[in-house]
Amino acid sequence: MHEQGAPTRDLEAENESLRARMDYLMEQAERNHEIMCRHQAFDLEIVGSDGFETLIATIFRSLPVIAGLDIVTLSLVDQDSDIHTVMDKLGVDFSAFPHLIFVDAVAALGFVPSRSEVFTGPPKPMLGPYHPAQHQASFPHQPPGLQSIALVPLLRNKRLIGSLNLGSLDPSRFTPSMGTDFVEHMASIIAICLENVISNEMLKYIGLTDSLTGVYNRRYIDRRLQEEIGRARRQLYRIAVMYIDIDHFKMVNDSVGHQGGDEVLREVAGRIKAELRASDALGRFGGEEFVVLLINAELESATMVAERIRASIGGRKVVLSCGGPISVSVSIGVAALDDFERDHAIDGVAQALVANADSALYRAKEAGRNRVVSYHPEPGSAPAP
C-alpha cells in the first residue's frame, strides 16, 4: 500500500505545481494586459493633444504613472532656438516644465560622438546604470538615488529630433540586455505627436505674424488684447495701448521706392521693439500703422515709453541698403484701460481701447505730427460699451 501511495502523492504535487504555475501565468497575463491598456490609453491621450503645451504636460504627468518611473525628461533638438522662441511667443510657460530640455545639436543627446559632424544612421536606445558625469545633462533635476536609465531616440524619417529619457531608482529596471521594442514603439508615437504639434504651432505663429517686419499682426494683437483685459480685470492691474503711425509714409515710398519703404518699416518695427519689455506686444496693423500693448502700465508710464519710441525713431536716420540715409518720424496716440466693469463685454472694451488710442493719434497728426498725445475722456462722457 505504501508503494502505491507514493506515485499518487507525486502526481498531486505535480498538479499543485502546475496549478500554481497557471495561476502565475494568468496573473502575469492580466498584469500585462492592464499595462497594455494603460499604454494604449496614453497613446490615445497624447495623439489627442491639441497643442505643444498640452502634449508636453501629458507626457510628464501620465508617463511616469503608467510606466512606474521615477523621472521622465524630454530633450528636443532646437539648433537655432526656433521652437523655444515660437512656443514662448505663443504663451508656453516653460517654468512649468523643468524636465523639458532644449539642445542645440544632435550630438548633445549622446547617441553619436560629439566629434562627429555626420549622422550615420538611426541610433538605438541606450539602457543601463545612471552615471552622473555621462547622464547629468539628460536628468538635470533627478531624484536622489537614481540608479538606472533609458535614453530613447525620437526619430522622424530617420532624423533625430530629440530623446525620451526614462529613469528609475531600481537598478534592475533598465539593463543593457533588456529588449527595447516597447520603449521604441512608445518613442515613435511621441515623436510623431511632437512633430505634428510643433509644425501646427509654427503655422499658427506664422498666421499671427507679419511676414515683412517679423512682429505680430492685427489678428494676434486683437486676440491678445482681449485675453489681457480679462486678466487685468481679475488681477486689477492696468494695461495701455499705443497706436503708432509713420509720418508721411507715402512720401517715403515715393522718394525711395517700395523696397526702401519696406526697409523703413522693418527698421521702425525694430526700434519700437527695442523700447519694450518682454511682456509687451507689438503688432503691425497694416500699411505704416503699428499697435503696442503694454502690460501693467498706467497712462503716464505708457506715455513716457511712447516718447522714448518717438525719440528713438526720429533721432537717428534710417540707412537704406540702396540709397542714402532717410529721416523718419512717427506720431503716437496712447490710451489706458479705464473700464473694469465686468458687465461690459471684453470685445467691446478692447475695440474701444484701440479706438481711444487711434483718436489720440489723430489729434497728434492734427497738431503737426512727430509727437505723442495721450487720450483723456471728455468730462461727463459715458464709459465704453
Side-chain angles (χ1 to χ4, degrees):
M1 294 292 292
H2 177 74
E3 291 180 357
Q4 293 176 349
T8 302
R9 286 195 299 272
D10 290 345
L11 184 59
E12 289 175 351
E14 186 177 346
N15 287 340
E16 186 63 31
S17 176
L18 286 172
R19 279 196 295 269
R21 179 65 178 168
M22 285 294 295
D23 289 343
Y24 172 77
L25 291 175
M26 288 295 294
E27 183 182 337
Q28 287 296 105
E30 289 176 3
R31 182 173 177 272
N32 289 338
H33 178 70
E34 182 185 349
I35 292 173
M36 184 183 69
C37 289
R38 287 204 306 265
H39 279 276
Q40 286 177 343
F42 173 73
D43 290 349
L44 290 173
E45 189 176 7
I46 63 172
V47 167
S49 298
D50 60 358
F52 181 81
E53 194 165 14
T54 305
L55 175 61
I56 298 300
T58 300
I59 293 171
F60 290 145
R61 182 187 68 250
S62 299
L63 189 52
V65 176
I66 67 164
L69 298 167
D70 295 295
I71 184 172
V72 172
T73 73
L74 186 66
S75 303
L76 295 179
V77 178
D78 192 17
Q79 185 173 359
D80 298 313
S81 296
D82 291 337
I83 299 173
H84 189 283
T85 300
V86 169
M87 300 309 162
D88 181 63
K89 288 182 178 295
L90 291 175
V92 173
D93 179 11
F94 286 105
S95 66
F97 304 117
H99 297 311
L100 178 61
I101 305 156
F102 291 93
V103 299
D104 58 5
V106 165
L109 298 174
F111 294 107
V112 293
S114 59
R115 64 181 179 273
S116 173
E117 296 182 359
V118 179
F119 184 57
T120 56
K124 300 297 288 182
M126 298 191 301
L127 283 64
Y130 171 73
H131 298 297
Q134 186 178 352
H135 304 127
Q136 172 72 29
S138 298
F139 299 93
H141 306 287
Q142 79 271 31
L146 186 61
Q147 294 293 320
S148 62
I149 57 97
L151 305 181
V152 191
L154 298 173
L155 296 162
R156 289 299 296 140
N157 300 319
K158 298 183 179 181
R159 181 174 57 90
L160 190 58
I161 66 170
S163 173
L164 179 66
N165 312 311
L166 315 175
S168 174
L169 303 182
D170 180 0
S172 64
R173 178 61 193 277
F174 298 112
T175 63
S177 61
M178 286 180 61
T180 60
D181 289 349
F182 189 75
V183 291
E184 286 185 84
H185 166 77
M186 183 169 59
S188 69
I189 299 295
I190 290 174
I192 291 169
C193 293
L194 277 169
E195 186 177 62
N196 286 343
V197 298
I198 289 172
S199 296
N200 289 338
E201 299 284 33
M202 290 292 187
L203 289 173
K204 183 191 301 181
Y205 176 71
I206 291 170
L208 298 174
T209 308
D210 174 56
S211 59
L212 175 63
T213 60
V215 302
Y216 293 118
N217 59 20
R218 180 167 191 158
R219 179 185 171 198
Y220 174 86
I221 295 296
D222 286 342
R223 189 183 76 176
R224 175 78 181 277
L225 180 56
Q226 293 191 33
E227 292 173 356
E228 292 297 342
I229 290 174
R231 192 174 293 116
R233 283 179 167 181
R234 293 190 300 272
Q235 301 179 13
L236 298 179
Y237 62 79
R238 294 284 177 177
I239 60 176
V241 166
M242 297 180 201
Y243 212 123
I244 304 172
D245 183 80
I246 301 176
D247 296 329
H248 303 297
F249 187 68
K250 185 178 183 302
M251 293 174 58
V252 172
N253 272 334
D254 290 343
S255 62
V256 299
H258 287 288
Q259 181 178 342
D262 289 349
E263 289 187 49
V264 169
L265 286 167
R266 284 192 288 267
E267 179 65 20
V268 167
R271 294 189 192 182
I272 295 172
K273 197 170 183 179
E275 300 296 333
L276 304 178
R277 302 162 298 178
S279 59
D280 302 327
L282 166 63
R284 183 182 175 204
F285 261 39
E288 67 272 25
E289 296 178 335
F290 296 87
V291 167
V292 173
L293 173 59
L294 295 168
I295 309 302
N296 197 17
E298 303 277 350
L299 182 63
E300 182 178 355
S301 60
T303 302
M304 291 174 61
V305 175
E307 284 289 0
R308 290 204 310 266
I309 290 172
R310 186 195 63 79
S312 171
I313 294 169
R316 181 164 46 94
K317 291 184 177 182
V318 176
V319 179
L320 304 177
S321 59
C322 299
I326 181 172
S327 296
V328 179
S329 68
V330 294
S331 300
I332 307 176
V334 186
L337 177 66
D338 290 317
D339 185 357
F340 284 85
E341 295 186 30
R342 295 180 182 273
D343 56 343
H344 292 162
I346 287 180
D347 57 347
V349 174
Q351 291 173 16
L353 182 57
V354 174
N356 290 343
D358 189 26
S359 174
L361 168 64
Y362 180 76
R363 294 205 298 270
K365 291 194 287 188
E366 273 196 326
R369 294 182 169 82
N370 192 21
R371 67 192 64 224
V372 175
V373 172
S374 302
Y375 176 83
H376 297 279
E378 296 292 334
S381 61

